[in-house]
């Protein structure tokens, strides 16, 4: 049927090639220029990997990377914990307003991120909370909950509920059933959601830009502030590293989530 569709609409394949080239060719160029030995990012003079070593010698990049890891780790732990509790609660017997609760959990995926960022900033200012690394963590926890929730919820939907009933027939209480039956089966979904939450927090720029304060710069903020004065192979190198890390985490999340 797909072949008939392509024959029915000539040029579809060419448009698909143009679309993916427009989307990914700049990324490929960025990675290639990160190996450029010239200080100018746009003039190729030779191959080198020195820029990848220099990013570890740059104190500002190292400090931003540490902040990013701290924020992403804290956001992952708390958002995954909340998402797991929410998924377990939603998987139990249906209750009035369940659809509304489910929609509310997924709301950050639908609402434009800029609106979430502005609303979060207004909330923090309204309650008198000083902007810093703590506010970034709080904002990221809320933003990452649906990313952790969806794989966990999908895993619960695919579980055989008769296993829990069998555990109850063997005189296991709710805690024993959760620890010995539900949690081992749910663990791939939890890990998959945690990986998605981590990389979402690590790569986030918009929310971090609005709710961060002095000393709370993360890697995306550092890259944004650096490109204002020009793009260098050093920026291309750190961007390439973040790209590889993102692909790795998303791939691991996908593979772990598919485990039977």
């Amino acid at each position: 049927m797909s072949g008939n569709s392509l024959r029915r609409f000539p040029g579809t394949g060419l448009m698909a090639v143009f679309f993916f080239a427009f989307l990914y060719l700049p990324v490929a160029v960025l990675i290639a220029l990160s190996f450029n030995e010239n200080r100018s990012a746009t003039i190729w003079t030779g191959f080198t990997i020195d820029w990848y070593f220099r990013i570890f010698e740059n104190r500002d990049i190292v400090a931003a990377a540490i902040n990013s890891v701290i924020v992403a780790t804290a956001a992952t732990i708390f958002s995954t914990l909340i998402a797991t509790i929410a998924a377990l609660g939603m998987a139990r017997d249906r209750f009035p307003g369940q659809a509304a609760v489910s929609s509310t959990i997924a709301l950050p995926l639908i609402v434009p991120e800029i609106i979430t960022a502005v609303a979060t900033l207004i909330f923090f200012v309204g309650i008198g909370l000083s902007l810093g690394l703590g506010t970034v963590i709080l904002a990221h926890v809320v933003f990452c909950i649906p990313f952790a929730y969806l794989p966990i919820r999908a895993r619960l939907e695919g579980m055989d509920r008769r296993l829990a009933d069998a555990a109850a027939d063997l005189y296991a209480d709710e805690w024993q059933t959760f620890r010995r039956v539900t949690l081992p089966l749910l663990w791939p979904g939890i890990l998959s959601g945690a990986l998605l939450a981590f990389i979402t927090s690590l790569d986030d720029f918009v929310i971090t830009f609005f709710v961060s304060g002095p000393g709370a710069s993360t890697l995306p903020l550092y890259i944004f502030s650096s490109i204002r004065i020009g793009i260098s192979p050093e920026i291309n190198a750190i961007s390439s590293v973040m790209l590889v890390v993102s692909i790795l985490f998303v791939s691991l999340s996908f593979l772990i989530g598919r485990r039977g």
Side-chain angles (χ1 to χ4, degrees), residues 218-246:
T218 60
L219 277 177
L221 292 184
Y222 175 84
I223 293 172
F224 176 75
S225 62
S226 297
I227 61 176
R228 291 182 173 183
I229 58 176
I231 301 176
S232 67
E234 195 174 35
I235 296 300
N236 291 338
I238 189 62
S239 300
S240 300
V241 170
M242 291 189 66
L243 176 64
V244 171
V245 171
S246 300

Side-chain angles (χ1 to χ4, degrees), residues 132-197:
L133 208 60
T135 53
V136 177
I137 292 174
L138 287 175
H140 280 212
V141 168
V142 176
F143 182 68
C144 290
I145 287 175
F147 293 94
Y149 172 83
L150 292 178
I152 298 172
R153 178 65 173 154
R155 187 75 179 182
L156 279 172
E157 290 290 340
M159 287 173 53
D160 191 346
R161 297 190 178 186
R162 292 175 298 179
L163 295 174
D165 295 336
D169 291 338
L170 296 173
Y171 304 103
D173 56 27
E174 289 191 6
W175 169 245
Q176 290 174 326
T177 301
F178 173 75
R179 184 168 59 90
R180 294 178 178 272
V181 179
T182 305
L183 185 59
L185 294 173
L186 188 60
W187 186 248
I190 295 175
L191 186 55
S192 176
L195 289 172
L196 277 183

Side-chain angles (χ1 to χ4, degrees), residues 16-249:
V17 171
F18 175 79
F19 169 78
F20 285 109
F22 178 81
L23 195 62
Y24 293 111
L25 191 58
V27 177
V29 171
L30 180 146
I31 296 174
L33 290 177
S34 68
F35 297 101
N36 182 17
E37 68 176 1
N38 195 329
R39 183 69 188 179
S40 175
T42 57
I43 302 176
W44 180 269
T45 57
F47 180 88
T48 183
I49 59 173
D50 290 345
W51 300 110
Y52 285 90
F53 293 102
R54 292 190 185 185
I55 62 178
F56 296 103
E57 300 172 358
N58 189 316
R59 293 183 178 180
D60 293 333
I61 292 180
V62 172
I66 292 174
N67 285 340
S68 292
V69 173
I70 291 174
V71 171
T73 302
T76 299
I77 293 172
F78 290 108
S79 64
T80 304
L81 179 61
I82 296 171
T84 302
I85 296 173
L88 290 170
M90 295 290 290
R92 297 174 69 91
D93 296 335
R94 297 190 62 85
F95 57 88
Q98 188 176 25
V101 174
S102 181
S103 300
T104 303
I105 294 175
L107 198 60
L109 299 175
I110 303 172
V111 176
E113 193 174 349
I114 183 69
I115 296 178
T116 303
V118 172
T120 305
L121 174 62
I122 293 174
F123 174 75
F124 287 156
V125 173
I127 63 176
L129 201 60
S130 299
L131 299 182
L133 208 60
T135 53
V136 177
I137 292 174
L138 287 175
H140 280 212
V141 168
V142 176
F143 182 68
C144 290
I145 287 175
F147 293 94
Y149 172 83
L150 292 178
I152 298 172
R153 178 65 173 154
R155 187 75 179 182
L156 279 172
E157 290 290 340
M159 287 173 53
D160 191 346
R161 297 190 178 186
R162 292 175 298 179
L163 295 174
D165 295 336
D169 291 338
L170 296 173
Y171 304 103
D173 56 27
E174 289 191 6
W175 169 245
Q176 290 174 326
T177 301
F178 173 75
R179 184 168 59 90
R180 294 178 178 272
V181 179
T182 305
L183 185 59
L185 294 173
L186 188 60
W187 186 248
I190 295 175
L191 186 55
S192 176
L195 289 172
L196 277 183
F198 183 88
I199 201 60
T200 299
S201 175
L202 191 72
D203 292 344
D204 182 78
F205 167 75
V206 177
I207 292 178
T208 309
F209 180 78
F210 277 86
V211 301
S212 63
S217 177
T218 60
L219 277 177
L221 292 184
Y222 175 84
I223 293 172
F224 176 75
S225 62
S226 297
I227 61 176
R228 291 182 173 183
I229 58 176
I231 301 176
S232 67
E234 195 174 35
I235 296 300
N236 291 338
I238 189 62
S239 300
S240 300
V241 170
M242 291 189 66
L243 176 64
V244 171
V245 171
S246 300
I247 294 174
L248 177 63
F249 271 74

